[in-house]
Amino acid sequence: MSNQHKHRTIIFYKGYFQEFFVKQRDKVKNKIIWTLELLEDIQKVPETYLKHIENTDGLFEIRIQLGSDIFRIFCFFDRGNLVVLTNGFQKRTQKTPKQEIEKALKIKQEYENERQQPKNAGTVQG
């Protein structure tokens, strides 16, 4: 392991990403890990690996390809260099399914709402 400075830190929000990850075969898991490490390590990430989703407020897709299999993991940035992973899926069509983007946007909203809650606010849920 090198002591190289990381440009980003990747976190998993709740269990959304892990749900997707655990279902993948080992070769796919290894490629996902390699890609996530690349995102952390290099300053300017090529669009081959990270691309902004058009018409969204800060949603990105991490792009993973293994042979003819294509996978996408949605993420967004928090405080500049913190990458928050949301959901992932295997891409089977040319266009990214709208429901996957909507799911990622809901997760992003949930995360942002939680971040705005004061710590130990003692809210009562009924």
Side-chain angles (χ1 to χ4, degrees):
M1 277 296 206
S2 70
N3 290 335
Q4 177 182 346
H5 170 74
K6 293 209 177 286
H7 293 281
R8 282 165 218 86
T9 301
I10 294 176
I11 65 166
F12 309 148
Y13 176 60
K14 295 192 174 174
Y16 299 111
F17 168 74
Q18 291 95 317
E19 245 176 64
F20 160 75
F21 185 78
V22 297
K23 294 176 188 167
Q24 305 311 314
R25 59 190 200 278
D26 286 345
K27 278 189 173 188
V28 174
K29 287 179 182 176
N30 291 338
K31 184 71 182 257
I32 291 170
I33 292 165
W34 180 88
T35 307
L36 295 179
E37 288 174 347
L38 180 84
L39 258 58
E40 287 184 324
D41 292 343
I42 64 173
Q43 190 162 1
K44 186 160 173 35
V45 181
E47 251 190 28
T48 311
Y49 300 108
L50 183 69
K51 186 176 180 193
H52 179 256
I53 304 283
E54 287 181 24
N55 304 317
T56 67
D57 182 22
L59 191 64
F60 289 79
E61 64 178 8
I62 298 169
R63 304 157 67 103
I64 296 153
Q65 185 161 355
L66 184 65
S68 60
D69 293 333
I70 297 172
F71 301 88
R72 296 291 186 256
I73 300 164
F74 290 113
C75 65
F76 57 92
F77 288 83
D78 185 17
R79 289 175 256 155
N81 64 353
L82 183 65
V83 180
V84 182
L85 301 185
T86 63
N87 53 318
F89 68 99
Q90 184 168 357
K91 193 169 178 186
R92 300 182 192 280
T93 60
Q94 195 64 33
K95 206 159 165 48
T96 299
K98 192 172 175 56
Q99 71 267 22
E100 292 291 346
I101 294 173
E102 287 168 0
K103 181 178 179 183
L105 288 170
K106 277 187 185 139
I107 295 168
K108 181 177 184 283
Q109 188 63 56
E110 183 184 342
Y111 174 88
E112 289 169 349
N113 289 345
E114 269 186 29
R115 289 246 311 122
Q116 291 172 353
Q117 297 292 323
K119 294 269 188 253
N120 302 323
T123 56
V124 178
Q125 295 181 349

